[in-house]
Amino acid sequence: MTKKLYIKTYGCQMNVYDSERMADVLAPLGYGLSDSPDDADMVILNTCHIREKAAEKVYSDLGRLKPHQQKKAEDGSRMIIAVAGCVAQAEGDEIMARAPQVDMVFGPQTYHRLPEMVSKAKRAVGEKILDTDFPAEDKFDHLPEERVRKGEVTSFLTIQEGCDKFCTFCVVPYTRGSEFSRPATTVLQEARRLVADGVREITLLGQNVNAYHGEGAEGREWGLARLCRELAEIDGLERIRYTTSHPRDVDDALIAAHGDLPKLMPYLHLPVQSGSDRILEAMNRKHTADDYRRIVDRLRTARPDLALTSDFIVGYPGESDQDFADTLKLVTDIGYAGAFFFKYSERPGTPAASLREQVDDAVKSERLSALQQLLESQQEAFNASVVGKTMPILLEKPGKHENQLVGRSPYLQPVHLDIPENRHASMIGTVIDCKISSLSGHSLFAVPIDDAESGTDSATRHNTARPNPSEPSSGQERISA
Ligand code: 5AD
Ligand code: SF4
């Protein structure tokens, strides 16, 4: 690799996957990933448009890049700056006008065309490239098979993009386009390659991942449940997760899969957004709070150790004190292991943005902090509930301290183990049964249980505690659903 590529990823896990794929596309052109924009030959900002703040960050980061770009020019070389992702899709022309130092602006469905764009941009300084085409199928057909990987044990795999649900607050149907599912055969191929590279956990991604309906082997349509069943057959793949899902697309087959597939982790992100039927209707969610309660009951019947997380919006236009009280009631009824919560943010072009009854910001702040308090106390209780239990831990990497390994519980909680360094290489990527000994902040500490003593298979379920995720507010946005 002769050229330095710096990619900054904003927003959800789908952007994380997209950034990896951009690096894959650019690797044959000699671009190798770098950790900083200093001296980079190309900088890509892979942006998020879901809320106003997320979009505004891009412009301030572009400002911060200017001196780096100037320095590079003074040294007789060039830094190409690109804006990718959903802000690029939604505000391409505006970016070009507001930030003249940007060379390329391209939307989420165009990454396979990066080599052409780069060669055009290189032909002349000042040549501007704007590509915001749809649809997604072209992209997936043309992304390279070769992946640039750094030996991680876990990986994202996008199986579905776009959304046809049109929740009234959400920009996704406009920035990512309509719903598209990749064929199951190509998903399985990619999964097998990842596992051959040492990946042990795959998180299937989609804006509405459980609306997945890709073409299967016999030309028949497969749903997410069928896809998970086939993935579970891959030897060496220990864990399957998916995010993010919509309550309306939780079907019988998916509930059954949660009951039948030990590899499907008992930790589900199922956004509800609000607990008020009036607000759910106004949001065009097309289900009630009780519908959601019933789905959760059925999932928990199928998989008693299932833990749930959700997204919530407070201060949707017209939200009354009673509507908000209904949200708190739903949270209390369900008992979450973690959650993401947001103040409603007006997004241009969405139906909710033109509603007159916008909620005062001070009221939104009050509601946000009340909801946060409740959800955080639930998360703390969940984390505390696993102490003393035995859980299978996927060992991922060395910890910050000497002779320490860090892994993840089925609920994505980071778990720290004291393991001598000379055993790390052979243990990373394995799942071992551990007894959780203590909790500090969001981190758990554990001791491995001797296989002979536990007498259990790594994929066997152990934890019967109620779900309790950890780290939901890791700074990464959730995908909408
Ligand atoms: N304002 C606030 N939050 C939003 N989300 C999506 N659009 C908006 C908006 N306009 C939240 C939803 C979604 C998550 C990814 O972001 O809760 O599930
Ligand atoms: Fe689609 Fe989710 Fe956005 Fe609703 S919130 S429109 S389901 S992406």
Side-chain angles (χ1 to χ4, degrees), residues 196-370:
D197 270 359
V199 167
R200 296 291 169 259
E201 172 181 289
I202 292 182
T203 303
L204 305 171
L205 299 181
Q207 259 101 25
N208 251 298
V209 75
N210 59 333
Y212 178 81
H213 56 274
E215 191 182 321
E218 321 82 31
R220 287 210 205 110
E221 213 167 75
W222 286 8
L224 180 63
R226 175 73 195 272
L227 183 66
C228 288
R229 284 181 192 278
E230 299 293 326
L231 285 164
E233 296 294 318
I234 299 177
D235 272 347
L237 181 60
E238 299 276 354
R239 293 182 164 185
I240 303 166
R241 304 178 184 277
Y242 61 85
T243 196
T244 194
S245 42
H246 194 296
R248 268 165 64 202
D249 293 317
V250 177
D251 59 11
D252 295 349
L254 192 57
I255 293 173
H258 275 282
D260 299 342
L261 297 176
K263 287 185 181 181
L264 189 54
M265 288 294 100
Y267 187 53
L268 179 60
H269 187 63
L270 191 62
V272 66
Q273 314 296 353
S274 167
S276 151
D277 288 345
R278 216 175 61 83
I279 295 296
L280 287 168
E281 190 178 354
M283 286 175 164
N284 194 32
R285 295 289 291 181
K286 297 208 167 82
H287 65 80
T288 64
D290 278 347
D291 292 336
Y292 183 86
R293 286 183 177 90
R294 272 190 291 273
I295 292 165
V296 170
D297 278 351
R298 291 185 61 210
L299 282 161
R300 282 182 168 156
T301 303
R303 181 89 200 221
D305 59 346
L306 188 88
L308 283 143
T309 60
S310 175
D311 294 337
F312 295 91
I313 296 178
V314 299
Y316 181 83
E319 185 188 66
S320 66
D321 287 343
Q322 182 56 49
D323 294 320
F324 179 63
D326 290 346
T327 297
L328 294 179
K329 171 83 172 55
L330 182 72
V331 172
T332 306
D333 290 349
I334 299 290
Y336 287 97
F340 297 84
F341 27 83
F342 312 102
K343 283 186 196 175
Y344 167 72
S345 160
E346 236 175 278
R347 305 310 292 129
T350 58
S354 54
L355 297 174
R356 266 187 290 136
E357 288 179 278
Q358 299 292 333
V359 174
D360 201 69
D361 191 59
V363 175
K364 284 185 193 168
S365 298
E366 247 172 60
R367 290 181 185 163
L368 192 73
S369 96

Side-chain angles (χ1 to χ4, degrees), residues 129-175:
I129 284 108
L130 176 66
D131 187 350
T132 48
D133 259 12
F134 285 127
E137 51 260 54
D138 288 346
K139 174 174 76 177
F140 288 111
D141 278 351
H142 295 98
L143 286 172
E145 286 192 6
E146 211 56 45
R147 300 283 308 261
V148 179
R149 297 198 54 80
K150 288 171 272 160
E152 294 97 340
V153 162
T154 64
S155 179
F156 292 132
L157 200 176
T158 295
I159 63 167
Q160 183 277 331
E161 277 207 53
C163 182
D164 296 338
K165 297 275 191 299
F166 290 95
C167 299
T168 51
F169 52 82
C170 183
V171 286
V172 167
Y174 313 99
T175 54

